[in-house]
PDB file of all heavy atoms in Angstrom:
ATOM      1  N   GLU A 165     227.526  52.771 -80.476  1.00 98.00           N
ATOM      2  CA  GLU A 165     227.567  52.227 -81.811  1.00 98.00           C
ATOM      3  C   GLU A 165     227.251  53.406 -82.798  1.00 98.00           C
ATOM      4  O   GLU A 165     226.193  54.039 -82.676  1.00 98.00           O
ATOM      5  CB  GLU A 165     226.514  51.105 -82.059  1.00 98.00           C
ATOM      6  CG  GLU A 165     226.498  50.560 -83.493  1.00 98.00           C
ATOM      7  CD  GLU A 165     225.497  49.505 -83.718  1.00 98.00           C
ATOM      8  OE1 GLU A 165     224.620  49.328 -82.820  1.00 98.00           O
ATOM      9  OE2 GLU A 165     225.476  48.882 -84.783  1.00 98.00           O
ATOM     10  N   VAL A 166     228.196  53.668 -83.658  1.00 98.00           N
ATOM     11  CA  VAL A 166     228.081  54.781 -84.644  1.00 98.00           C
ATOM     12  C   VAL A 166     227.943  54.175 -86.026  1.00 98.00           C
ATOM     13  O   VAL A 166     228.846  53.438 -86.495  1.00 98.00           O
ATOM     14  CB  VAL A 166     229.255  55.720 -84.526  1.00 98.00           C
ATOM     15  CG1 VAL A 166     229.142  56.844 -85.532  1.00 98.00           C
ATOM     16  CG2 VAL A 166     229.429  56.265 -83.134  1.00 98.00           C
ATOM     17  N   VAL A 167     226.818  54.520 -86.682  1.00 98.00           N
ATOM     18  CA  VAL A 167     226.637  54.065 -88.119  1.00 98.00           C
ATOM     19  C   VAL A 167     226.893  55.255 -89.021  1.00 98.00           C
ATOM     20  O   VAL A 167     226.339  56.334 -88.841  1.00 98.00           O
ATOM     21  CB  VAL A 167     225.221  53.572 -88.321  1.00 98.00           C
ATOM     22  CG1 VAL A 167     225.009  53.170 -89.775  1.00 98.00           C
ATOM     23  CG2 VAL A 167     224.903  52.374 -87.374  1.00 98.00           C
ATOM     24  N   THR A 168     227.774  55.034 -89.980  1.00 98.00           N
ATOM     25  CA  THR A 168     228.148  56.092 -90.954  1.00 98.00           C
ATOM     26  C   THR A 168     227.857  55.639 -92.345  1.00 98.00           C
ATOM     27  O   THR A 168     227.700  54.434 -92.593  1.00 98.00           O
ATOM     28  CB  THR A 168     229.618  56.482 -90.811  1.00 98.00           C
ATOM     29  OG1 THR A 168     230.456  55.316 -91.151  1.00 98.00           O
ATOM     30  CG2 THR A 168     229.946  56.936 -89.391  1.00 98.00           C
ATOM     31  N   GLU A 169     227.855  56.669 -93.245  1.00 98.00           N
ATOM     32  CA  GLU A 169     227.613  56.372 -94.688  1.00 98.00           C
ATOM     33  C   GLU A 169     228.656  57.130 -95.512  1.00 98.00           C
ATOM     34  O   GLU A 169     228.730  58.362 -95.374  1.00 98.00           O
ATOM     35  CB  GLU A 169     226.185  56.716 -95.082  1.00 98.00           C
ATOM     36  CG  GLU A 169     225.923  56.333 -96.546  1.00 98.00           C
ATOM     37  CD  GLU A 169     224.451  56.643 -96.918  1.00 98.00           C
ATOM     38  OE1 GLU A 169     224.130  57.815 -97.086  1.00 98.00           O
ATOM     39  OE2 GLU A 169     223.709  55.678 -97.007  1.00 98.00           O
ATOM     40  N   THR A 170     229.339  56.427 -96.413  1.00 97.00           N
ATOM     41  CA  THR A 170     230.364  57.036 -97.277  1.00 97.00           C
ATOM     42  C   THR A 170     230.082  56.446 -98.693  1.00 97.00           C
ATOM     43  O   THR A 170     230.132  55.295 -98.945  1.00 97.00           O
ATOM     44  CB  THR A 170     231.789  56.657 -96.896  1.00 97.00           C
ATOM     45  OG1 THR A 170     231.957  56.958 -95.515  1.00 97.00           O
ATOM     46  CG2 THR A 170     232.776  57.432 -97.693  1.00 97.00           C
ATOM     47  N   ASP A 171     229.727  57.439 -99.601  1.00 95.00           N
ATOM     48  CA  ASP A 171     229.421  57.040-101.020  1.00 95.00           C
ATOM     49  C   ASP A 171     228.422  55.928-101.077  1.00 95.00           C
ATOM     50  O   ASP A 171     228.518  54.957-101.868  1.00 95.00           O
ATOM     51  CB  ASP A 171     230.717  56.568-101.733  1.00 95.00           C
ATOM     52  CG  ASP A 171     231.694  57.733-101.852  1.00 95.00           C
ATOM     53  OD1 ASP A 171     231.300  58.893-101.976  1.00 95.00           O
ATOM     54  OD2 ASP A 171     232.959  57.463-101.768  1.00 95.00           O
ATOM     55  N   GLY A 172     227.369  56.009-100.234  1.00 96.00           N
ATOM     56  CA  GLY A 172     226.292  55.030-100.267  1.00 96.00           C
ATOM     57  C   GLY A 172     226.556  53.728 -99.523  1.00 96.00           C
ATOM     58  O   GLY A 172     225.689  52.899 -99.389  1.00 96.00           O
ATOM     59  N   ILE A 173     227.786  53.608 -98.942  1.00 97.00           N
ATOM     60  CA  ILE A 173     228.100  52.399 -98.208  1.00 97.00           C
ATOM     61  C   ILE A 173     228.046  52.691 -96.715  1.00 97.00           C
ATOM     62  O   ILE A 173     228.670  53.635 -96.261  1.00 97.00           O
ATOM     63  CB  ILE A 173     229.493  51.927 -98.587  1.00 97.00           C
ATOM     64  CG1 ILE A 173     229.611  51.628-100.110  1.00 97.00           C
ATOM     65  CG2 ILE A 173     229.904  50.720 -97.765  1.00 97.00           C
ATOM     66  CD1 ILE A 173     231.030  51.309-100.557  1.00 97.00           C
ATOM     67  N   ARG A 174     227.249  51.891 -96.013  1.00 98.00           N
ATOM     68  CA  ARG A 174     227.084  52.060 -94.611  1.00 98.00           C
ATOM     69  C   ARG A 174     228.037  51.155 -93.799  1.00 98.00           C
ATOM     70  O   ARG A 174     228.304  50.022 -94.220  1.00 98.00           O
ATOM     71  CB  ARG A 174     225.650  51.745 -94.181  1.00 98.00           C
ATOM     72  CG  ARG A 174     224.651  52.713 -94.741  1.00 98.00           C
ATOM     73  CD  ARG A 174     223.305  52.600 -94.058  1.00 98.00           C
ATOM     74  NE  ARG A 174     222.360  53.625 -94.540  1.00 98.00           N
ATOM     75  CZ  ARG A 174     221.219  53.941 -94.015  1.00 98.00           C
ATOM     76  NH1 ARG A 174     220.797  53.251 -92.896  1.00 98.00           N
ATOM     77  NH2 ARG A 174     220.445  54.855 -94.496  1.00 98.00           N
ATOM     78  N   GLU A 175     228.565  51.720 -92.700  1.00 97.00           N
ATOM     79  CA  GLU A 175     229.467  51.002 -91.858  1.00 97.00           C
ATOM     80  C   GLU A 175     228.989  51.192 -90.383  1.00 97.00           C
ATOM     81  O   GLU A 175     228.432  52.233 -90.062  1.00 97.00           O
ATOM     82  CB  GLU A 175     230.906  51.480 -91.941  1.00 97.00           C
ATOM     83  CG  GLU A 175     231.544  51.219 -93.295  1.00 97.00           C
ATOM     84  CD  GLU A 175     232.965  51.722 -93.258  1.00 97.00           C
ATOM     85  OE1 GLU A 175     233.878  51.037 -92.731  1.00 97.00           O
ATOM     86  OE2 GLU A 175     233.220  52.846 -93.792  1.00 97.00           O
ATOM     87  N   SER A 176     229.270  50.184 -89.556  1.00 98.00           N
ATOM     88  CA  SER A 176     228.974  50.279 -88.125  1.00 98.00           C
ATOM     89  C   SER A 176     230.273  50.179 -87.356  1.00 98.00           C
ATOM     90  O   SER A 176     231.179  49.420 -87.646  1.00 98.00           O
ATOM     91  CB  SER A 176     228.078  49.132 -87.711  1.00 98.00           C
ATOM     92  OG  SER A 176     227.786  49.228 -86.341  1.00 98.00           O
ATOM     93  N   HIS A 177     230.428  51.128 -86.408  1.00 98.00           N
ATOM     94  CA  HIS A 177     231.665  51.226 -85.603  1.00 98.00           C
ATOM     95  C   HIS A 177     231.288  51.212 -84.130  1.00 98.00           C
ATOM     96  O   HIS A 177     230.231  51.624 -83.729  1.00 98.00           O
ATOM     97  CB  HIS A 177     232.417  52.541 -85.891  1.00 98.00           C
ATOM     98  CG  HIS A 177     232.435  52.963 -87.340  1.00 98.00           C
ATOM     99  ND1 HIS A 177     233.526  52.723 -88.191  1.00 98.00           N
ATOM    100  CD2 HIS A 177     231.495  53.587 -88.132  1.00 98.00           C
ATOM    101  CE1 HIS A 177     233.270  53.191 -89.389  1.00 98.00           C
ATOM    102  NE2 HIS A 177     232.037  53.728 -89.318  1.00 98.00           N
ATOM    103  N   VAL A 178     232.247  50.788 -83.331  1.00 98.00           N
ATOM    104  CA  VAL A 178     232.070  50.839 -81.834  1.00 98.00           C
ATOM    105  C   VAL A 178     233.154  51.783 -81.313  1.00 98.00           C
ATOM    106  O   VAL A 178     234.324  51.690 -81.584  1.00 98.00           O
ATOM    107  CB  VAL A 178     232.259  49.481 -81.229  1.00 98.00           C
ATOM    108  CG1 VAL A 178     232.181  49.579 -79.695  1.00 98.00           C
ATOM    109  CG2 VAL A 178     231.136  48.545 -81.741  1.00 98.00           C
ATOM    110  N   PHE A 179     232.700  52.784 -80.524  1.00 98.00           N
ATOM    111  CA  PHE A 179     233.572  53.761 -79.907  1.00 98.00           C
ATOM    112  C   PHE A 179     233.366  53.820 -78.403  1.00 98.00           C
ATOM    113  O   PHE A 179     232.253  53.632 -77.933  1.00 98.00           O
ATOM    114  CB  PHE A 179     233.337  55.152 -80.552  1.00 98.00           C
ATOM    115  CG  PHE A 179     233.850  55.322 -81.943  1.00 98.00           C
ATOM    116  CD1 PHE A 179     233.002  55.158 -83.009  1.00 98.00           C
ATOM    117  CD2 PHE A 179     235.210  55.578 -82.194  1.00 98.00           C
ATOM    118  CE1 PHE A 179     233.447  55.306 -84.336  1.00 98.00           C
ATOM    119  CE2 PHE A 179     235.686  55.732 -83.434  1.00 98.00           C
ATOM    120  CZ  PHE A 179     234.834  55.612 -84.549  1.00 98.00           C
ATOM    121  N   ASP A 180     234.459  54.156 -77.727  1.00 98.00           N
ATOM    122  CA  ASP A 180     234.361  54.257 -76.273  1.00 98.00           C
ATOM    123  C   ASP A 180     233.745  55.583 -75.851  1.00 98.00           C
ATOM    124  O   ASP A 180     233.234  55.717 -74.737  1.00 98.00           O
ATOM    125  CB  ASP A 180     235.757  54.149 -75.687  1.00 98.00           C
ATOM    126  CG  ASP A 180     236.427  52.803 -75.980  1.00 98.00           C
ATOM    127  OD1 ASP A 180     235.772  51.771 -75.807  1.00 98.00           O
ATOM    128  OD2 ASP A 180     237.609  52.777 -76.402  1.00 98.00           O
ATOM    129  N   ALA A 181     233.759  56.582 -76.696  1.00 98.00           N
ATOM    130  CA  ALA A 181     233.202  57.903 -76.375  1.00 98.00           C
ATOM    131  C   ALA A 181     232.870  58.626 -77.674  1.00 98.00           C
ATOM    132  O   ALA A 181     233.440  58.306 -78.756  1.00 98.00           O
ATOM    133  CB  ALA A 181     234.182  58.713 -75.529  1.00 98.00           C
ATOM    134  N   VAL A 182     232.052  59.633 -77.603  1.00 98.00           N
ATOM    135  CA  VAL A 182     231.632  60.434 -78.776  1.00 98.00           C
ATOM    136  C   VAL A 182     231.714  61.906 -78.406  1.00 98.00           C
ATOM    137  O   VAL A 182     231.220  62.311 -77.350  1.00 98.00           O
ATOM    138  CB  VAL A 182     230.225  60.029 -79.262  1.00 98.00           C
ATOM    139  CG1 VAL A 182     229.782  60.961 -80.359  1.00 98.00           C
ATOM    140  CG2 VAL A 182     230.145  58.612 -79.617  1.00 98.00           C
ATOM    141  N   MET A 183     232.306  62.708 -79.262  1.00 98.00           N
ATOM    142  CA  MET A 183     232.326  64.180 -79.139  1.00 98.00           C
ATOM    143  C   MET A 183     231.552  64.755 -80.342  1.00 98.00           C
ATOM    144  O   MET A 183     231.955  64.579 -81.502  1.00 98.00           O
ATOM    145  CB  MET A 183     233.747  64.717 -79.132  1.00 98.00           C
ATOM    146  CG  MET A 183     234.576  64.147 -77.955  1.00 98.00           C
ATOM    147  SD  MET A 183     236.313  64.658 -77.987  1.00 98.00           S
ATOM    148  CE  MET A 183     236.197  66.328 -77.393  1.00 98.00           C
ATOM    149  N   VAL A 184     230.405  65.405 -80.056  1.00 98.00           N
ATOM    150  CA  VAL A 184     229.568  66.013 -81.085  1.00 98.00           C
ATOM    151  C   VAL A 184     229.995  67.406 -81.317  1.00 98.00           C
ATOM    152  O   VAL A 184     229.834  68.242 -80.395  1.00 98.00           O
ATOM    153  CB  VAL A 184     228.085  65.897 -80.737  1.00 98.00           C
ATOM    154  CG1 VAL A 184     227.213  66.554 -81.798  1.00 98.00           C
ATOM    155  CG2 VAL A 184     227.700  64.437 -80.533  1.00 98.00           C
ATOM    156  N   CYS A 185     230.546  67.743 -82.472  1.00 97.00           N
ATOM    157  CA  CYS A 185     231.117  69.039 -82.758  1.00 97.00           C
ATOM    158  C   CYS A 185     230.423  69.745 -83.936  1.00 97.00           C
ATOM    159  O   CYS A 185     231.078  70.378 -84.739  1.00 97.00           O
ATOM    160  CB  CYS A 185     232.605  68.937 -83.034  1.00 97.00           C
ATOM    161  SG  CYS A 185     233.505  68.030 -81.769  1.00 97.00           S
ATOM    162  N   THR A 186     229.080  69.682 -83.973  1.00 95.00           N
ATOM    163  CA  THR A 186     228.319  70.237 -85.016  1.00 95.00           C
ATOM    164  C   THR A 186     227.868  71.664 -84.768  1.00 95.00           C
ATOM    165  O   THR A 186     227.280  72.303 -85.607  1.00 95.00           O
ATOM    166  CB  THR A 186     227.120  69.371 -85.420  1.00 95.00           C
ATOM    167  OG1 THR A 186     226.353  69.102 -84.229  1.00 95.00           O
ATOM    168  CG2 THR A 186     227.562  68.038 -86.011  1.00 95.00           C
ATOM    169  N   GLY A 187     228.150  72.138 -83.557  1.00 88.00           N
ATOM    170  CA  GLY A 187     227.846  73.535 -83.242  1.00 88.00           C
ATOM    171  C   GLY A 187     226.357  73.876 -83.120  1.00 88.00           C
ATOM    172  O   GLY A 187     225.529  72.950 -83.036  1.00 88.00           O
ATOM    173  N   HIS A 188     225.999  75.123 -83.145  1.00 84.00           N
ATOM    174  CA  HIS A 188     224.594  75.519 -83.017  1.00 84.00           C
ATOM    175  C   HIS A 188     224.021  76.150 -84.278  1.00 84.00           C
ATOM    176  O   HIS A 188     222.872  76.608 -84.274  1.00 84.00           O
ATOM    177  CB  HIS A 188     224.342  76.457 -81.804  1.00 84.00           C
ATOM    178  CG  HIS A 188     225.222  77.658 -81.748  1.00 84.00           C
ATOM    179  ND1 HIS A 188     226.311  77.765 -80.907  1.00 84.00           N
ATOM    180  CD2 HIS A 188     225.238  78.805 -82.486  1.00 84.00           C
ATOM    181  CE1 HIS A 188     226.910  78.890 -81.063  1.00 84.00           C
ATOM    182  NE2 HIS A 188     226.251  79.534 -81.996  1.00 84.00           N
ATOM    183  N   TYR A 189     224.827  76.270 -85.353  1.00 87.00           N
ATOM    184  CA  TYR A 189     224.299  76.713 -86.626  1.00 87.00           C
ATOM    185  C   TYR A 189     223.951  75.520 -87.536  1.00 87.00           C
ATOM    186  O   TYR A 189     224.720  75.133 -88.375  1.00 87.00           O
ATOM    187  CB  TYR A 189     225.276  77.624 -87.354  1.00 87.00           C
ATOM    188  CG  TYR A 189     225.639  78.892 -86.615  1.00 87.00           C
ATOM    189  CD1 TYR A 189     226.774  79.003 -85.838  1.00 87.00           C
ATOM    190  CD2 TYR A 189     224.718  79.939 -86.607  1.00 87.00           C
ATOM    191  CE1 TYR A 189     227.062  80.192 -85.155  1.00 87.00           C
ATOM    192  CE2 TYR A 189     224.999  81.143 -85.967  1.00 87.00           C
ATOM    193  CZ  TYR A 189     226.165  81.253 -85.229  1.00 87.00           C
ATOM    194  OH  TYR A 189     226.451  82.382 -84.560  1.00 87.00           O
ATOM    195  N   GLN A 190     222.781  74.875 -87.208  1.00 85.00           N
ATOM    196  CA  GLN A 190     222.474  73.625 -87.894  1.00 85.00           C
ATOM    197  C   GLN A 190     221.268  73.703 -88.821  1.00 85.00           C
ATOM    198  O   GLN A 190     221.400  73.351 -89.945  1.00 85.00           O
ATOM    199  CB  GLN A 190     222.261  72.540 -86.790  1.00 85.00           C
ATOM    200  CG  GLN A 190     223.518  72.185 -86.015  1.00 85.00           C
ATOM    201  CD  GLN A 190     223.273  71.206 -84.903  1.00 85.00           C
ATOM    202  OE1 GLN A 190     222.347  70.340 -85.038  1.00 85.00           O
ATOM    203  NE2 GLN A 190     224.012  71.264 -83.833  1.00 85.00           N
ATOM    204  N   GLU A 191     220.197  74.227 -88.303  1.00 90.00           N
ATOM    205  CA  GLU A 191     218.939  74.289 -89.112  1.00 90.00           C
ATOM    206  C   GLU A 191     218.439  75.741 -89.071  1.00 90.00           C
ATOM    207  O   GLU A 191     218.296  76.298 -87.997  1.00 90.00           O
ATOM    208  CB  GLU A 191     217.907  73.363 -88.559  1.00 90.00           C
ATOM    209  CG  GLU A 191     218.226  71.865 -88.735  1.00 90.00           C
ATOM    210  CD  GLU A 191     217.113  70.979 -88.237  1.00 90.00           C
ATOM    211  OE1 GLU A 191     215.945  71.527 -88.147  1.00 90.00           O
ATOM    212  OE2 GLU A 191     217.327  69.772 -88.013  1.00 90.00           O
ATOM    213  N   PRO A 192     218.135  76.280 -90.232  1.00 92.00           N
ATOM    214  CA  PRO A 192     217.569  77.642 -90.251  1.00 92.00           C
ATOM    215  C   PRO A 192     216.268  77.743 -89.467  1.00 92.00           C
ATOM    216  O   PRO A 192     215.435  76.835 -89.547  1.00 92.00           O
ATOM    217  CB  PRO A 192     217.349  77.889 -91.719  1.00 92.00           C
ATOM    218  CG  PRO A 192     218.225  76.933 -92.517  1.00 92.00           C
ATOM    219  CD  PRO A 192     218.313  75.730 -91.579  1.00 92.00           C
TER     220      PRO A 192
END
Side-chain angles (χ1 to χ4, degrees):
E165 181 182 8
V166 179
V167 177
T168 62
E169 184 177 74
T170 309
D171 297 327
I173 300 174
R174 294 194 176 191
E175 293 181 80
S176 180
H177 320 261
V178 175
F179 287 97
D180 299 313
V182 177
M183 300 175 75
V184 178
C185 306
T186 52
H188 53 256
Y189 295 102
Q190 295 178 29
E191 294 183 17

